[in-house]
DNA sequence: TCTTATGATTCTGA
DNA sequence: TCAGAATCATAAGA
């Protein structure tokens, strides 16, 4: 039993009326002496009331004097009783509070971001998640990744240092207050529950500070994260080889520049970029090509010529186009040859008037026809882009501005189109 | 510094 | 869900 309990119980608290005082008053305190006692109590109360106005030394001396005063136990009992009643009324309003939902949210967020909780790569996991959201792959990404991780761990470190500081301060302050209350319990009635309540009040106050810390940490993480994600916009040009691969595909499938999923995958692999980047690239290319065909004429010529040359080489080597595979032809499962023989050789045969009977002629035979026509137009010589435009009409683009026979891109993959069903711009 | 090129994002419509 | 279109943001070159 601690001081307070001892103090509160040793004076018979809980008896009806003011037993302590009554008892004391009964101890030879009747008759005319009663007036003197009342005067005495009045003095003591006066001293208690004015004790705070005195200097520390004076107050200490006064306190000691009061503690030793013969009326002290009686007065203390009265105070205990009054206090008991007051505390009961206060206690009534004090219930266990449910956990703060905002604090829970903050805790969850910090846990998810790897700031709170065990370290074990939480930050890197978050960084990885952010990277995944960015959809980027590549060397730069790993740099950004480690950068993000480093900054996150910095935030984590600051957070934990501050948290530790707050906890330490909270403990110190709690101990201090408890000691103070224990000390005060010698002169005024203080129950252990009251101390508990005081401690919980202190903790609540410190928790609100902690919440602020958590809030600002969350903000810092969010800012860092948004900055990291914004880095997606930091455009890096694809390397030359990748652009060439994409362009080759685009111009060799000009009548239907919609790579299938398999083709995209293959292109992505070859270019060391993601499939979504391939999609972006084709989206941009299609629209920019369509908007300004004249501008892309030269580029188209170049790629067409290149394709034709490689096709001719292959043809000269006598390699047969057995099972020509196109990215858009089902059955080829994404294995396509862009600068290789396959499609083009088939086209050469077609253009030569050979009736290519192969059952696997892909839908993009038209593209190869386009390519060859383009090469022919180039070798035929045209001086300016206008002439070129006339000779090499924008393949596949119909009058509506859309790619001819380019229905839904997904249907482009259909291999059912026979050799005869080349796109109508063959007639150009 | 300005212009152009280009990868990415966002919005809209089918 | 995907493509087209518009737009943003940055790289690169003049």
């Amino acid at each position: 039993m601690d001081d307070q309990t001892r103090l509160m119980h040793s004076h018979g608290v809980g008896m009806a009326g003011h037993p302590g005082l009554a008892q004391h008053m009964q101890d030879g305190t009747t008759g005319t002496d009663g007036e003197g006692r009342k005067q005495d109590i009045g003095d003591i109360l006066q001293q208690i009331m004015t004790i705070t106005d005195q200097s520390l030394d004076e107050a200490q001396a006064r306190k000691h004097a009061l503690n030793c005063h013969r009326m002290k136990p009686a007065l203390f009992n009265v105070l205990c009783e009054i206090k008991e009643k007051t505390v009961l009324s206060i206690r009534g309003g004090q219930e266990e509070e449910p956990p703060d939902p905002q604090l829970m949210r903050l805790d969850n967020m910090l846990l998810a971001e790897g700031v709170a909780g065990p370290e074990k790569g939480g930050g890197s996991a978050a960084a990885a998640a952010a990277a995944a959201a960015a959809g980027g792959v590549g060397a730069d990404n790993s740099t950004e990744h480690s950068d993000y991780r480093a900054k996150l761990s910095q935030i984590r470190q600051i957070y934990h240092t501050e948290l530790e500081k707050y906890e330490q301060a909270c403990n110190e302050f709690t101990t201090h207050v408890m000691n103070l209350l224990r000390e005060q319990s010698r002169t005024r009635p203080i129950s252990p529950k009251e101390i508990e309540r005081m401690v919980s009040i202190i903790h609540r106050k410190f928790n609100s500070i902690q919440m602020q810390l958590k809030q600002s940490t969350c903000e810092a993480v969010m800012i860092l994260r948004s900055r990291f994600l914004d880095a997606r916009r930091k455009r890096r040009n694809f390397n030359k080889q990748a652009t060439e691969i994409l362009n080759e595909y685009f111009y060799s499938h000009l009548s239907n520049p919609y790579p299938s999923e398999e083709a995209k995958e293959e292109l992505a692999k070859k270019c060391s970029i993601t499939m979504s980047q391939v999609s972006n690239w084709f989206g941009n290319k299609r629209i920019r090509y369509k908007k300004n065909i004249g501008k892309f004429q030269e580029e188209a010529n170049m790629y067409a010529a290149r394709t034709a040359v490689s096709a001719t080489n292959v043809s000269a080597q006598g390699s047969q186009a057995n099972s020509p595979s196109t990215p858009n032809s089902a059955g080829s499962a994404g294995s396509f040859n862009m600068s290789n023989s396959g499609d083009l050789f088939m086209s050469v045969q077609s253009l030569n008037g050979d009736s290519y009977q192969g059952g696997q002629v892909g839908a993009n035979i038209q593209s190869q026809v386009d390519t060859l026509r383009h090469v022919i137009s180039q070798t035929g010589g045209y001086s300016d882009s206008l002439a070129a435009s006339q000779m090499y009409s924008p393949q596949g683009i119909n009058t509506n501005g859309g790619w001819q026979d380019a229905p839904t891109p997904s249907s482009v993959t259909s291999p059912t189109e026979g050799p005869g069903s080349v796109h109508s711009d063959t007639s150009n």
Side-chain angles (χ1 to χ4, degrees):
Chain A
M1 192 182 279
D2 56 16
D3 290 350
Q4 301 87 344
T5 321
R6 180 177 47 76
L7 280 165
M8 284 193 71
H9 287 87
S10 64
H11 295 289
V13 178
M15 290 169 72
H18 295 167
L21 183 60
Q23 176 85 30
H24 209 81
M25 295 289 272
Q26 279 168 12
D27 295 342
T29 54
T30 48
T32 53
D33 208 22
E35 288 302 312
R37 297 276 184 225
K38 277 180 191 170
Q39 181 63 40
D40 210 6
I41 291 167
D43 288 344
I44 294 166
L45 287 174
Q46 185 61 33
Q47 284 172 20
I48 293 168
M49 297 294 281
T50 56
I51 200 165
T52 51
D53 299 331
Q54 295 162 347
S55 72
L56 196 61
D57 288 341
E58 271 180 324
Q60 287 290 350
R62 181 73 65 190
K63 200 174 92 178
H64 182 71
L66 283 168
N67 270 333
C68 299
H69 198 279
R70 59 194 172 89
M71 290 296 290
K72 191 231 171 180
L75 275 172
F76 198 89
N77 277 349
V78 175
L79 284 172
C80 280
E81 203 172 329
I82 295 167
K83 185 67 179 288
E84 184 77 359
K85 285 176 184 169
T86 322
V87 166
L88 279 171
S89 66
I90 292 168
R91 216 179 281 153
Q94 286 237 324
E95 292 302 327
E96 195 71 19
E97 284 182 19
D100 188 352
Q102 197 188 350
L103 191 63
M104 279 172 70
R105 269 203 302 276
L106 287 171
D107 280 338
N108 287 341
M109 193 185 269
L110 289 172
L111 268 173
E113 294 297 334
V115 175
E119 184 135 25
K120 56 177 180 184
S124 63
V137 184
D140 287 339
N141 210 12
S142 63
T143 317
E144 285 171 10
H145 189 134
S146 61
D147 212 32
Y148 178 84
R149 216 166 32 187
K151 288 197 168 107
L152 198 67
S153 95
Q154 214 175 329
I155 291 173
R156 185 190 160 90
Q157 202 179 339
I158 292 168
Y159 170 76
H160 283 287
T161 311
E162 291 298 310
L163 204 63
E164 220 170 287
K165 259 195 252 173
Y166 282 129
E167 271 167 10
Q168 199 181 338
C170 180
N171 286 341
E172 275 174 18
F173 190 69
T174 307
T175 313
H176 175 72
V177 169
M178 279 174 77
N179 287 340
L180 215 64
L181 287 173
R182 281 203 188 101
E183 171 68 23
Q184 284 190 4
S185 71
R186 293 170 64 187
T187 49
R188 67 185 182 95
I190 300 169
S191 69
K193 289 221 165 171
E194 210 180 334
I195 294 177
E196 265 177 42
R197 207 178 65 241
M198 191 56 79
V199 167
S200 79
I201 288 168
I202 293 166
H203 283 176
R204 264 208 299 277
K205 289 284 172 200
F206 272 90
N207 274 348
S208 74
I209 295 169
Q210 219 179 69
M211 186 142 95
Q212 280 174 19
L213 172 70
K214 283 176 180 176
Q215 249 171 354
S216 52
T217 307
C218 273
E219 275 171 27
V221 172
M222 287 298 110
I223 288 165
L224 175 69
R225 206 179 159 88
S226 71
R227 272 189 199 157
F228 178 71
L229 289 177
D230 277 353
R232 291 177 296 181
R233 296 190 75 95
K234 272 199 168 183
R235 200 176 55 73
R236 294 274 184 279
N237 285 356
F238 296 158
N239 62 42
K240 206 177 171 186
Q241 198 191 355
T243 313
E244 290 206 347
I245 290 168
L246 293 166
N247 271 317
E248 275 181 28
Y249 185 95
F250 181 81
Y251 288 112
S252 65
H253 298 81
L254 208 45
S255 64
N256 245 330
Y258 299 90
S260 63
E261 287 301 301
E262 290 86 1
K264 276 184 198 170
E265 210 176 316
E266 188 75 22
L267 283 168
K269 211 184 289 176
K270 283 189 173 187
C271 301
S272 304
I273 56 176
T274 63
M275 278 179 75
S276 62
Q277 282 178 305
V278 172
S279 298
N280 282 341
W281 189 91
F282 273 89
N284 284 324
K285 190 73 181 179
R286 277 193 299 268
I287 202 145
R288 282 163 187 165
Y289 177 83
K290 209 163 87 175
K291 268 185 179 174
N292 201 346
I293 293 162
K295 196 180 81 180
F296 288 97
Q297 202 65 61
E298 203 175 324
E299 193 177 68
N301 291 342
M302 192 186 77
Y303 282 102
R306 196 180 295 181
T307 313
V309 165
S310 71
T312 312
N313 287 342
V314 171
S315 177
Q317 284 164 14
S319 85
Q320 289 297 315
N322 45 2
S323 91
S325 64
T326 75
N328 286 340
S329 61
S332 60
S335 66
F336 58 91
N337 304 309
M338 284 170 301
S339 54
N340 208 330
S341 55
D343 296 348
L344 204 56
F345 183 68
M346 192 168 69
S347 306
V348 171
Q349 285 181 317
S350 303
L351 278 188
N352 285 343
D354 293 348
S355 57
Y356 182 78
Q357 299 295 329
Q360 294 189 20
V361 178
N364 70 332
I365 187 171
Q366 172 58 37
S367 312
Q368 310 308 329
V369 174
D370 295 337
T371 309
L372 269 187
R373 191 189 317 115
H374 179 57
V375 174
I376 291 161
S377 74
Q378 200 183 35
T379 49
Y382 49 84
S383 54
D384 56 43
S385 63
L386 179 64
S389 297
Q390 285 164 348
M391 292 184 75
Y392 174 53
S393 61
Q395 294 91 334
I397 299 177
N398 61 27
T399 47
N400 296 329
W403 255 273
Q404 202 157 307
D405 281 358
T408 52
S410 53
S411 67
V412 172
T413 55
S414 167
T416 52
E417 256 184 322
S421 68
V422 289
H423 299 287
S424 58
D425 65 349
T426 15
S427 58
N428 292 334

